Amino acid sequence: MIAVRRWAYRLDGDNLRHGVCSDLSFSRDDRAENARRVAELALLFADAGSVALVCLVSPYAADRRHARELHQQAGLDFIEVFVNTSLAECARRDVKGLYAQARGGTLANLTGVGAPYEIPSAPDVELTEDLGVAAAATRVLAVLPAVTA
């Protein structure tokens, strides 16, 4: 097997909300716009030959479907990874204290607490909370398309 290196860039939802999406709130409409903008950015990276790793809570199926369709229309690969963790595990991992703020009433519309999350019906990869980082990475890498260039 020949190892092929490929440039990758992480599009992090928190970082994007400080710049490209800084004008958006967490309302349903603004979440849809956030997902649309990030899908467009990912499309540009993919079109340039990069693997765009989008780290984003995208709670609505329609927004995820739109991102997939956008890539498919351009003839580019799209892989949906569902990080399937319980609400309790999300709260346990929360270094920013967002879940405590939401439960305390100082943060509205947090996914899973004050806003819904539509579970993906057929993600390309599902990662569960019992997987370690290495096993999760192996699962994701296994579905990446082969690169011949």
Side-chain angles (χ1 to χ4, degrees):
M1 182 164 142
I2 298 172
V4 178
R5 295 181 187 264
R6 204 158 166 201
W7 183 67
Y9 190 82
R10 179 175 50 97
L11 295 168
D12 181 82
D14 287 342
N15 291 341
L16 291 167
R17 282 201 174 262
H18 293 295
V20 173
C21 300
S22 63
D23 59 324
L24 301 175
S25 71
F26 289 92
S27 70
R28 185 176 186 125
D29 287 345
D30 280 2
R31 282 180 178 270
E33 177 59 14
N34 184 61
R36 187 197 69 76
R37 290 180 191 180
V38 175
E40 291 286 352
L41 285 170
L43 181 71
L44 291 173
F45 277 88
D47 187 53
S50 172
V51 174
L53 301 168
V54 178
C55 305
L56 181 71
V57 176
S58 184
Y60 301 109
D63 299 334
R64 297 189 299 267
R65 186 171 43 257
H66 171 75
R68 181 182 295 276
E69 289 168 356
L70 189 67
H71 283 73
Q72 289 174 337
Q73 289 168 2
L76 297 167
D77 294 310
F78 180 92
I79 299 166
E80 181 179 4
V81 178
F82 173 35
V83 181
N84 186 0
T85 55
S86 66
L87 191 57
E89 183 63 15
C90 289
R92 188 187 72 74
R93 296 179 184 182
D94 179 25
V95 296
K96 296 178 190 172
L98 299 177
Y99 286 88
Q101 290 176 36
R103 288 191 177 112
T106 59
L107 177 63
N109 298 322
L110 182 67
T111 302
V113 180
Y117 181 80
E118 298 171 355
I119 295 172
S121 59
D124 300 296
V125 178
E126 183 173 348
L127 305 176
T128 54
E129 61 191 54
D130 60 313
L131 287 175
V133 173
T138 298
R139 276 197 190 169
V140 172
L141 290 172
V143 300
L144 287 178
V147 179
T148 58

